[in-house]
Amino acid sequence: MLYELNNLKMIYGKRAVLDLPHLSVEAGRIVGLLGPNGAGKTTLLEIFAFLLGPTSGELRFHGKKVDYENNRLRELRRRVVIVQQHPIMFTVTVGKNLEFPLNIRKFPKQKREEVIDELLDLVGMREFKHARAHNLSGGETQRIAIARALACQPEVILFDEPTASVDVENQMTIERIVREINQEKKISVIFTTHDMNQAARLADEIVFLFEGRLAQSTYENIFSGQILPGENGDPYCLVQNTLKLGVNKGNMGPVRIAIDPNAIQVSQTADEPPPPNSFKGRLVQLTEEKNKVRALVDVGVPLSVLISKKELEAMSLGVGSSIWLTCPPESIEII
Amino acid sequence: MQFLLDSFHSALLLLWSVDPELVEIVSVSLKVSSSSTLIASLVGVPAGFFIAFREFPGKRLLMTILNTLLALPTVVIGLFVYAFISRRGILGVLNLLYTQKAMIIGQVILIIPIITVFTISAISRIDERYRKTAMTLGANALQTAWVIIREARFAIMAAVIAAFGRVIAEVGISMMLGGNAKGFTRTMTTAMALEYDKGEFVLGVALGIVLLTISFGLNIFFNYIQGRARV
C-alpha cells in the first residue's frame, strides 16, 4: 500500500476537519478525492504530502509508520510532491523555477538544461523557458507547476484541484498530462476535485469525502435547514424558509440535508391537492451525463435531478418548461 | 535670505573644488554608517526572520519592546553606551570612547530594531504558499528560509536603506560617543552642528547637499533595481 491511515483525526480549534477511521491508497494508480468545498480534501492532501501532521492517528507510507517527532520528514517529502490549487511561482524565470528542485538535489549542472527542456516539452511550454514566471496565466502557471513537480522525480504527485482555475483548453491539456505522468512515468497520482465528471474521467478509483469523513457517494443537493414539528406530529425540514420537506426521522433543530438526485421523481402534472413533498418548478438547465440527463429545476431553491433520456423524451421537456418534482422522504438524507 | 544664498553659492564652489576636509568628513561618515548598517543587518535580518516564523512565549511582548525601541532617541543611546565605555565604565579598559568603534556600537543599537521590525513585516507579508512550495519541492529549513528571503528581498533592502538613512543623518550618538574629533570621528552631521555653533554656514550647507545627494542616489539605485526585477 502506498498510503494507509488509521483513526486519523485533524482538529482545528474544536472542529474536526478530518476524521477518517481507515483509508488506504494503492500505488501506481490515479485516485480522485471527491467532495464539496470544506470536505477536508486539501488538508488530507497536505497530510499525504507530509506538509501537515495529523492531530492524532497514524499514517503509513509503504507500510512504514510516518514519524512526525523526529526530523525525518524531508526524506519522505523528497519522494512526494504536491501541486497546489493556485500554485505559486518564485519570482525568477520559468527555467529557474524548474531548476530549483534540481539544484536542491545537487543534480549534475551539465545535465540540468536537458531535463528542463524535456519537462517543458512535456507540458508544451518550451518557448516560455526564459519568461518571467510571475507573468503567466492561471493555466500556464499550473502547467509549469506540474513540470516543476516532475523535476523532483517523485514517486507520487498530489494535485489539489488541478483544473479549478484554468480555462477549458488548459483543462484538457492538464488532464492529458496527468494521465501521461501516471501511465508513462509510472508515478502514482492523487488529485482532489469537486467535479464528479472530472473524477470519473480521470480516476481509477474515487474516494468520497464529506465534512472530513468518508462517504459512500458524493452528496448532492446539499442544504442547510431546520427540522420542525409538523401540525400532525410528522417532522419536516424547512429549507431557506421556502421549502417544506417531510422527513422520516430526525432530531429537532438545525441540520444539513442532501437530496439524492436519482430518487427525485419528475412529472408534468400533479394531483390535486399535490402529494406531500411535491413542488412545482421551472426547468432551467439540461446537461447530458453518461446515459442520463441532469436537469436543474428551480423550485424556490435550485434542485438537481437525474432522469433517463427516455423519460425526458416522453415528457418532451425543454428549458423553461414547468414541471413537478416529488422528493420521497427516503431520498432525503440528514448528514 | 541673502546670507543663505551666499552660503549656498560658496558651498557649491567648495564641492566643485573637492575640498580635502570635506572629503575626509564625508568618508568618515560613510565608513561609520556603512559599518553599522552592515553589522545591524547581519543581526536584524535573521532575527526578524526568526521572530516572524517562530511562535514562542513572550513573542508579543518582544514585538512591543522592538516597536518601542523604534522611537529610541539617539541621546539616550549615547548616554547608555557612554556609561559602559567611559573610563569609569565596565568596558572602560577597552579605550573605546571617542573612537569610530564607539559610534558604530551606538548606531548598531539604534538601527537593529528598525531592521528587525521591518524584516518581520516584510517576511509576514510573503505568501504562505512559498514556504509550502519550497518544502514540497524538497528544500530543507535553510533553503526554505532562503526562498522566503529572496521573495522579500526588496522589502528587506528597503529596511536596510531606511536604517542607513537613519544612521548617516543622526547626530546624537556621533557627537556623544565620537566626540567630533577632526579627521577621526567628525562626520557630516557633527561637522554641521559645529559649523552652526561657529556661525559659519558654508561647510554646513555643502555637507547638507552631500548628505541629501547620497540619500537621493541610494533611492534612485534602489528604484532602478526594483524596476528591473519587475520587467
Side-chain angles (χ1 to χ4, degrees):
Chain A
M1 273 307 153
L2 184 63
Y3 289 105
E4 206 178 333
L5 51 86
N6 294 305
N7 296 320
L8 185 133
K9 277 193 180 130
M10 190 75 194
I11 295 165
Y12 285 130
K14 282 186 180 161
R15 206 168 78 93
V17 185
L18 280 179
D19 184 357
L20 304 168
H22 180 81
L23 176 67
S24 49
V25 176
E26 239 178 276
R29 315 186 77 184
I30 303 184
V31 177
L33 296 177
L34 181 61
N37 287 335
K41 304 188 295 285
T42 302
T43 309
L44 182 56
L45 218 55
E46 290 195 346
I47 288 175
F48 282 155
F50 309 110
L51 288 175
L52 276 181
T55 314
S56 63
E58 68 163 20
L59 172 66
R60 286 175 176 276
F61 185 62
H62 286 296
K64 257 185 159 175
K65 193 177 167 190
V66 177
D67 182 2
Y68 291 96
E69 296 303 318
N70 297 320
N71 243 344
R72 304 298 292 262
L73 287 179
R74 191 165 62 101
E75 283 165 34
L76 294 175
R77 259 186 226 128
R78 289 207 167 180
R79 299 161 70 181
V80 179
V81 60
I82 185 169
V83 178
Q84 283 160 319
Q85 182 173 4
H86 301 284
I88 206 156
M89 288 289 134
F90 304 128
T91 43
V92 284
T93 62
V94 166
K96 291 272 177 216
N97 264 280
L98 263 64
E99 203 186 340
F100 182 80
L102 299 174
N103 191 11
I104 281 179
R105 285 166 178 75
K106 304 210 165 41
F107 194 82
K109 273 212 166 79
Q110 56 276 20
K111 286 192 195 158
R112 285 184 194 174
E113 292 302 311
E114 199 184 313
V115 173
I116 291 170
D117 289 347
E118 194 185 307
L119 290 172
L120 284 173
D121 280 338
L122 179 82
V123 297
M125 303 246 327
R126 179 79 169 262
E127 67 274 23
F128 287 86
K129 188 175 176 185
H130 301 288
R132 294 234 153 233
H134 260 204
N135 299 344
L136 302 176
S137 74
E140 289 162 352
T141 305
Q142 191 78 36
R143 282 152 71 182
I144 294 301
I146 294 174
R148 187 173 63 182
L150 284 169
C152 301
Q153 296 180 304
E155 277 174 53
V156 188
I157 299 194
L158 310 162
F159 291 98
D160 194 4
E161 298 270 0
T163 58
S165 55
V166 305
D167 54 42
V168 177
E169 193 191 348
N170 271 308
Q171 187 179 333
M172 291 305 164
T173 312
I174 289 166
E175 287 184 8
R176 173 185 60 78
I177 296 169
V178 171
R179 261 185 227 109
E180 272 181 35
I181 289 170
N182 178 250
Q183 283 162 11
E184 283 164 32
K185 296 195 179 277
K186 306 292 173 211
I187 297 173
S188 308
V189 171
I190 303 176
F191 71 99
T192 68
T193 183
H194 60 265
D195 176 357
M196 255 177 303
N197 297 323
Q198 184 178 51
R201 269 200 308 276
L202 214 50
D204 301 324
E205 184 191 339
I206 301 177
V207 174
F208 299 99
L209 271 184
F210 187 78
E211 296 192 338
R213 284 167 287 139
L214 293 176
Q216 283 308 309
S217 61
T218 186
Y219 290 119
E220 291 185 73
N221 293 321
I222 300 163
F223 298 104
S224 299
Q226 192 106 25
I227 296 203
L228 299 164
E231 286 158 22
N232 45 7
D234 296 333
Y236 69 91
C237 181
L238 183 65
V239 172
Q240 306 260 340
N241 287 325
T242 53
L243 227 52
K244 272 186 174 184
L245 287 164
V247 289
N248 279 340
K249 55 180 170 31
N251 299 325
M252 302 298 144
V255 285
R256 298 254 281 161
I257 58 160
I259 308 170
D260 182 357
N262 282 301
I264 300 174
Q265 291 146 19
V266 179
S267 55
Q268 274 174 308
T269 52
D271 303 333
E272 204 51 53
N277 283 5
S278 290
F279 311 99
K280 193 181 180 191
R282 189 164 175 272
L283 183 56
V284 291
Q285 196 186 328
L286 285 169
T287 17
E288 192 179 14
E289 200 163 287
K290 285 181 213 153
N291 41 21
K292 285 196 156 189
V293 174
R294 181 178 289 274
L296 192 67
V297 184
D298 184 2
V299 293
V301 295
L303 273 184
S304 195
V305 189
L306 280 169
I307 46 181
S308 68
K309 285 180 182 167
K310 268 190 186 153
E311 250 182 300
L312 184 76
E313 271 167 37
M315 286 189 280
S316 66
L317 291 175
V319 171
S321 315
S322 63
I323 53 170
W324 282 84
L325 300 185
T326 308
C327 310
E330 52 281 6
S331 72
I332 303 166
E333 193 172 345
I334 293 166
I335 51 183
Chain B
M1 196 61 208
Q2 189 57 40
F3 169 66
L4 188 66
L5 283 178
D6 283 346
S7 301
F8 194 73
H9 182 240
S10 310
L12 286 179
L13 286 179
L14 196 67
L15 285 173
W16 184 248
S17 68
V18 197
D19 178 65
E21 190 188 348
L22 185 117
V23 171
E24 183 153 51
I25 294 171
V26 172
S27 61
V28 168
S29 257
L30 286 176
K31 187 183 158 201
V32 170
S33 303
S34 319
S35 308
S36 49
T37 307
L38 182 70
I39 295 167
S41 303
L42 290 177
V43 179
V45 173
F49 191 87
F50 184 83
I51 295 168
F53 258 90
R54 289 288 161 87
E55 290 304 323
F56 51 88
K59 179 170 170 172
R60 287 169 65 115
L61 180 69
L62 181 64
M63 290 288 293
T64 311
I65 292 171
L66 280 172
N67 281 316
T68 310
L69 292 180
L70 289 182
L72 199 60
T74 52
V75 284
V76 172
I77 297 175
L79 213 61
F80 176 76
V81 176
Y82 180 87
F84 279 89
I85 65 171
S86 70
R87 291 211 175 275
R88 286 177 298 164
I90 48 169
L91 300 176
V93 286
L94 298 176
N95 274 327
L96 284 171
L97 192 58
Y98 304 135
T99 63
Q100 291 184 0
K101 279 186 190 139
M103 294 159 74
I104 292 171
I105 292 170
Q107 292 187 345
V108 166
I109 296 173
L110 177 69
I111 56 172
I112 279 182
I114 298 178
I115 294 178
T116 308
V117 166
F118 284 113
T119 301
I120 293 171
S121 90
I123 299 283
S124 311
R125 273 201 304 269
I126 295 300
D127 199 310
E128 160 82 352
R129 283 175 294 167
Y130 282 111
R131 187 180 65 84
K132 284 188 176 166
T133 303
M135 281 169 70
T136 196
L137 295 175
N140 62 24
L142 210 64
Q143 289 160 332
T144 305
W146 176 245
V147 163
I148 292 161
I149 287 185
R150 191 176 60 185
E151 294 303 327
R153 62 192 183 273
F154 294 123
I156 292 174
M157 216 195 273
V160 172
I161 286 177
F164 181 79
R166 180 82 182 94
V167 286
I168 204 164
E170 72 82 29
V171 58
I173 292 168
S174 302
M175 195 64 105
M176 291 167 80
L177 301 175
N180 196 24
K182 189 177 173 189
F184 295 102
T185 57
R186 182 163 297 173
T187 64
M188 288 191 270
T189 50
T190 57
M192 281 164 83
L194 178 69
E195 295 301 301
Y196 165 80
D197 281 344
K198 294 197 309 201
E200 296 214 23
F201 281 5
V202 177
L203 182 61
V205 172
L207 289 168
I209 293 171
V210 175
L211 199 55
L212 282 175
T213 311
I214 289 172
S215 294
F216 188 56
L218 258 178
N219 281 295
I220 287 180
F221 174 68
F222 179 53
N223 269 322
Y224 169 73
I225 293 191
Q226 232 177 348
R228 258 176 44 137
R230 289 228 175 100
V231 175

